[in-house]
Amino acid sequence: MNIVVCIKQVPDTTEVRLDPKTGTLIREGVPSIINPDDKSGLEAALMLKDETDAHVTVLTMGPPQAEKALLEALSMGADEGILLTDRAFAGADTWATSSTLAAAIKNLDYDLIIAGRQAIDGDTAQVGPQIAEHLKIPQVSYVANLEKDGNSLILKRVFEDGYHKVKVKMPCLITTLSEMNSPRYMSVKGIFDANREKEIKKWTLEDIDVNREHIGLKGSPTKVKKSFTKGAKAAGEKFEVEPSEAAQIIVNKLKEKHVI
Amino acid sequence: MDFRLPNEHKMLRQMFTEFTEKEVKPLAEEVDEKEMFPVETVKKLAKYGFMGIPFPKEYGGQGGDNLAYAMAVEELSKSCATTGVIVSAHTSLCATPIYEFGTEEQKQKYLIPLAKGDNLGAFGLTEPNAGTDAAGQQTKAELVGDYYILNGSKIFITNAGYADVYIIMAMTDKSKGVKGISAFIVEKDFEGFSVGKKEAKMGIKGSATCELIFENCKVPKENLLGKIGQGFKIAMKTLDGGRIGIAAQALGISQGAIDETVSYVKERKQFGRAISKFQNTQFELADMQTKTEAARLLVYSAARAKDNKERYSDKAAMAKLFTAETAMEVTTKAVQLHGGYGYTREYPVERMMRDAKITEIYEGTSEVQKMVIAGSLLR
């Protein structure tokens, strides 16, 4: 069984501080981590590897320093790492990113593709599903549990108010939730092997078959028109009164503002 | 000279820290209070490779080096010195002499399960009347047929009772003095072997420290480690390496106490401001960190010398002497900076101060380290 896990290196948002003057993120000195949903996807793949001897390939697109995320994945037990890195890929939105990743995956043998639900620095939850569309394979998103059943997977797909249990034939793509498991630590041997014996393949535009109109900034239909810091709201007024009086206060306030 | 850590060691540090924060730190207080040997933690340590870091993969090890091993003991000891010494005694005092002096059969039989962490190891040299004067061994071993018959006792043995394999020194020929001492590999289930009284200690309370008793203990003759009469040399070489582990433990205790103090002094307010704003606090912290950083370089340099197969016994002795004394000084200052709270069990620095003291005593007291260092100068 061949599993491809798509991961993203993200700033550890729990360590991010805001510049009080500009209101923007201070990225300097912020450690980079594997996106939590992706890391749980990797753990799910490694658990399948423990059970079934699966071959786990980890794929990421990013700048050269994203290699660190792949090294960590290899140190946890993944077999192979591929870094898609090229200036032509830079500035990609979710569409261009998924086009690039899908093109890279076409070079690989796969039964299962795992992507995290969404990245903590973007929260779009689009890249995984788009890859499945590019590859024309079934997809199940928001997976909180998986079991292998022959050539199929039995998955728990989570909704806000419940879950579905679905069976899907491989090859397929799933997106995983960080709540699904606690990822293992790297192991000492894993770290030594990853640094000394395992190779991280670096693929550029030359290595994948992709329409050049669909990658990088140029291939990104999403344009950021403007970015701004959300202004701080003043603390509201607080009343602790009976409901009937509360309703009256609300009506009066809305009238004051000419809403009603 | 390159002081930068290789990338693999930076990643190891990240992993050791993460493991310690999540698996070791939450238990440290209970391990101390209840004098609890952290059995479950040892299983997890085995799973992630902590129990066989410097041994080759063909012997069940992680294919790592002594620098990585020292860093592991350091990181564990930042939060729990008990956990640090369990790994150190197991690795340096039991698995290492089998790796360095054992036959191929002994390595296959004993080193592999030790390095994998399936078995735990210990080492027995000290006796009631043979401490720093280790040559005064009274435990005897006599060859009878295919067995050495051991009689006598050992005291202050780390990991005792939980260990599966013990390296034991015993006199095979009293007339030859230190050259009459031999080393043996003893399994916990050997006939005539038992674990005696457990010590009640000032610190490292979760570490099991017990007496070992040998009453006509039958040790198969193939369990002689090294050659007959080589025991004292094996013990001294083993302790040379062990000192790197204990120095790393002391280093971890120091840094752990500083880290705790830094967060405390930022929170604690007196005279209307955080005590971190007072110059006395700042100067004390500066001294504590400077000494600890110097200690770190000594420890890493000794570990690197062992990795490079250079002479390292004086380096290891200097690392242990300086790091242990630093740990004692730094933890005492950490308690002082915490004031009255530092003296209570509400904060971990009082435990760290109690734990630090043993690093000046075991695996060669500070005075023994000075003998080793002076000995190498005056050779």
Side-chain angles (χ1 to χ4, degrees), chain B residues 136-152:
Chain B
Q137 296 282 306
Q138 283 174 1
T139 298
K140 277 187 290 197
E142 200 183 340
L143 185 63
V144 181
D146 288 337
Y147 292 89
Y148 281 96
I149 306 298
L150 267 61
N151 278 291

mmCIF file of all heavy atoms in Angstrom, chain B residues 136-152:
data_model
loop_
_atom_site.group_PDB
_atom_site.id
_atom_site.type_symbol
_atom_site.label_atom_id
_atom_site.label_comp_id
_atom_site.label_asym_id
_atom_site.label_seq_id
_atom_site.Cartn_x
_atom_site.Cartn_y
_atom_site.Cartn_z
ATOM 1 N N GLY B 136 38.967 -1.975 47.865
ATOM 2 C CA GLY B 136 38.743 -2.796 49.056
ATOM 3 C C GLY B 136 37.553 -3.738 48.937
ATOM 4 O O GLY B 136 36.801 -3.932 49.894
ATOM 5 N N GLN B 137 37.357 -4.326 47.780
ATOM 6 C CA GLN B 137 36.211 -5.206 47.530
ATOM 7 C C GLN B 137 36.219 -6.424 48.439
ATOM 8 O O GLN B 137 37.239 -7.091 48.588
ATOM 9 C CB GLN B 137 36.259 -5.703 46.074
ATOM 10 C CG GLN B 137 36.122 -4.621 45.049
ATOM 11 C CD GLN B 137 34.687 -4.175 44.874
ATOM 12 O OE1 GLN B 137 33.807 -4.984 44.630
ATOM 13 N NE2 GLN B 137 34.457 -2.882 45.030
ATOM 14 N N GLN B 138 35.071 -6.742 49.010
ATOM 15 C CA GLN B 138 34.997 -7.946 49.830
ATOM 16 C C GLN B 138 34.108 -9.011 49.199
ATOM 17 O O GLN B 138 34.149 -10.171 49.603
ATOM 18 C CB GLN B 138 34.498 -7.582 51.232
ATOM 19 C CG GLN B 138 35.635 -6.939 52.028
ATOM 20 C CD GLN B 138 35.214 -6.410 53.382
ATOM 21 O OE1 GLN B 138 34.063 -6.519 53.780
ATOM 22 N NE2 GLN B 138 36.156 -5.840 54.091
ATOM 23 N N THR B 139 33.291 -8.619 48.230
ATOM 24 C CA THR B 139 32.493 -9.632 47.532
ATOM 25 C C THR B 139 33.460 -10.557 46.796
ATOM 26 O O THR B 139 34.383 -10.089 46.119
ATOM 27 C CB THR B 139 31.514 -8.949 46.551
ATOM 28 O OG1 THR B 139 30.632 -8.133 47.312
ATOM 29 C CG2 THR B 139 30.725 -9.972 45.766
ATOM 30 N N LYS B 140 33.229 -11.865 46.969
ATOM 31 C CA LYS B 140 34.167 -12.845 46.410
ATOM 32 C C LYS B 140 33.497 -13.654 45.306
ATOM 33 O O LYS B 140 32.291 -13.906 45.350
ATOM 34 C CB LYS B 140 34.621 -13.817 47.506
ATOM 35 C CG LYS B 140 35.752 -13.263 48.354
ATOM 36 C CD LYS B 140 36.287 -14.295 49.315
ATOM 37 C CE LYS B 140 35.271 -14.591 50.401
ATOM 38 N NZ LYS B 140 35.762 -15.246 51.584
ATOM 39 N N ALA B 141 34.312 -14.076 44.349
ATOM 40 C CA ALA B 141 33.818 -14.984 43.310
ATOM 41 C C ALA B 141 34.803 -16.139 43.189
ATOM 42 O O ALA B 141 36.008 -15.924 43.072
ATOM 43 C CB ALA B 141 33.699 -14.255 41.982
ATOM 44 N N GLU B 142 34.230 -17.334 43.230
ATOM 45 C CA GLU B 142 35.099 -18.510 43.200
ATOM 46 C C GLU B 142 34.616 -19.430 42.090
ATOM 47 O O GLU B 142 33.412 -19.707 41.982
ATOM 48 C CB GLU B 142 34.981 -19.219 44.553
ATOM 49 C CG GLU B 142 36.125 -20.156 44.868
ATOM 50 C CD GLU B 142 35.897 -20.879 46.202
ATOM 51 O OE1 GLU B 142 35.076 -20.384 47.032
ATOM 52 O OE2 GLU B 142 36.515 -21.921 46.400
ATOM 53 N N LEU B 143 35.542 -19.882 41.264
ATOM 54 C CA LEU B 143 35.154 -20.766 40.161
ATOM 55 C C LEU B 143 34.974 -22.186 40.673
ATOM 56 O O LEU B 143 35.902 -22.787 41.206
ATOM 57 C CB LEU B 143 36.215 -20.727 39.054
ATOM 58 C CG LEU B 143 35.883 -21.508 37.782
ATOM 59 C CD1 LEU B 143 34.647 -20.954 37.080
ATOM 60 C CD2 LEU B 143 37.071 -21.508 36.830
ATOM 61 N N VAL B 144 33.741 -22.700 40.522
ATOM 62 C CA VAL B 144 33.453 -24.081 40.910
ATOM 63 C C VAL B 144 32.771 -24.725 39.711
ATOM 64 O O VAL B 144 31.627 -24.405 39.389
ATOM 65 C CB VAL B 144 32.519 -24.149 42.152
ATOM 66 C CG1 VAL B 144 32.258 -25.607 42.532
ATOM 67 C CG2 VAL B 144 33.109 -23.390 43.332
ATOM 68 N N GLY B 145 33.506 -25.610 39.039
ATOM 69 C CA GLY B 145 32.953 -26.237 37.835
ATOM 70 C C GLY B 145 32.693 -25.190 36.770
ATOM 71 O O GLY B 145 33.580 -24.397 36.438
ATOM 72 N N ASP B 146 31.443 -25.145 36.275
ATOM 73 C CA ASP B 146 31.107 -24.210 35.206
ATOM 74 C C ASP B 146 30.553 -22.892 35.730
ATOM 75 O O ASP B 146 30.060 -22.072 34.951
ATOM 76 C CB ASP B 146 30.058 -24.841 34.282
ATOM 77 C CG ASP B 146 30.670 -25.949 33.445
ATOM 78 O OD1 ASP B 146 31.912 -25.923 33.263
ATOM 79 O OD2 ASP B 146 29.927 -26.842 33.005
ATOM 80 N N TYR B 147 30.606 -22.687 37.035
ATOM 81 C CA TYR B 147 30.008 -21.480 37.620
ATOM 82 C C TYR B 147 30.990 -20.728 38.506
ATOM 83 O O TYR B 147 31.817 -21.348 39.181
ATOM 84 C CB TYR B 147 28.793 -21.855 38.479
ATOM 85 C CG TYR B 147 27.633 -22.377 37.677
ATOM 86 C CD1 TYR B 147 27.522 -23.733 37.402
ATOM 87 C CD2 TYR B 147 26.659 -21.501 37.187
ATOM 88 C CE1 TYR B 147 26.457 -24.227 36.645
ATOM 89 C CE2 TYR B 147 25.596 -21.987 36.445
ATOM 90 C CZ TYR B 147 25.495 -23.345 36.172
ATOM 91 O OH TYR B 147 24.442 -23.813 35.434
ATOM 92 N N TYR B 148 30.840 -19.414 38.496
ATOM 93 C CA TYR B 148 31.477 -18.609 39.539
ATOM 94 C C TYR B 148 30.454 -18.503 40.668
ATOM 95 O O TYR B 148 29.272 -18.219 40.410
ATOM 96 C CB TYR B 148 31.830 -17.209 39.031
ATOM 97 C CG TYR B 148 33.083 -17.187 38.194
ATOM 98 C CD1 TYR B 148 33.016 -17.236 36.801
ATOM 99 C CD2 TYR B 148 34.345 -17.127 38.790
ATOM 100 C CE1 TYR B 148 34.167 -17.230 36.029
ATOM 101 C CE2 TYR B 148 35.504 -17.119 38.024
ATOM 102 C CZ TYR B 148 35.410 -17.175 36.646
ATOM 103 O OH TYR B 148 36.553 -17.176 35.896
ATOM 104 N N ILE B 149 30.908 -18.734 41.867
ATOM 105 C CA ILE B 149 29.993 -18.633 43.013
ATOM 106 C C ILE B 149 30.300 -17.313 43.723
ATOM 107 O O ILE B 149 31.417 -17.105 44.212
ATOM 108 C CB ILE B 149 30.181 -19.819 43.985
ATOM 109 C CG1 ILE B 149 30.042 -21.153 43.239
ATOM 110 C CG2 ILE B 149 29.186 -19.717 45.147
ATOM 111 C CD1 ILE B 149 28.682 -21.400 42.592
ATOM 112 N N LEU B 150 29.309 -16.396 43.728
ATOM 113 C CA LEU B 150 29.512 -15.069 44.321
ATOM 114 C C LEU B 150 28.922 -15.009 45.732
ATOM 115 O O LEU B 150 27.802 -15.488 45.962
ATOM 116 C CB LEU B 150 28.834 -13.986 43.468
ATOM 117 C CG LEU B 150 29.699 -13.300 42.398
ATOM 118 C CD1 LEU B 150 30.202 -14.304 41.379
ATOM 119 C CD2 LEU B 150 28.935 -12.171 41.709
ATOM 120 N N ASN B 151 29.707 -14.429 46.632
ATOM 121 C CA ASN B 151 29.235 -14.198 47.998
ATOM 122 C C ASN B 151 29.630 -12.794 48.438
ATOM 123 O O ASN B 151 30.764 -12.369 48.209
ATOM 124 C CB ASN B 151 29.834 -15.222 48.959
ATOM 125 C CG ASN B 151 29.057 -16.528 48.930
ATOM 126 O OD1 ASN B 151 27.908 -16.597 49.380
ATOM 127 N ND2 ASN B 151 29.677 -17.551 48.352
ATOM 128 N N GLY B 152 28.680 -12.090 49.048
ATOM 129 C CA GLY B 152 28.968 -10.735 49.529
ATOM 130 C C GLY B 152 27.784 -9.828 49.281
ATOM 131 O O GLY B 152 26.667 -10.301 49.038
#
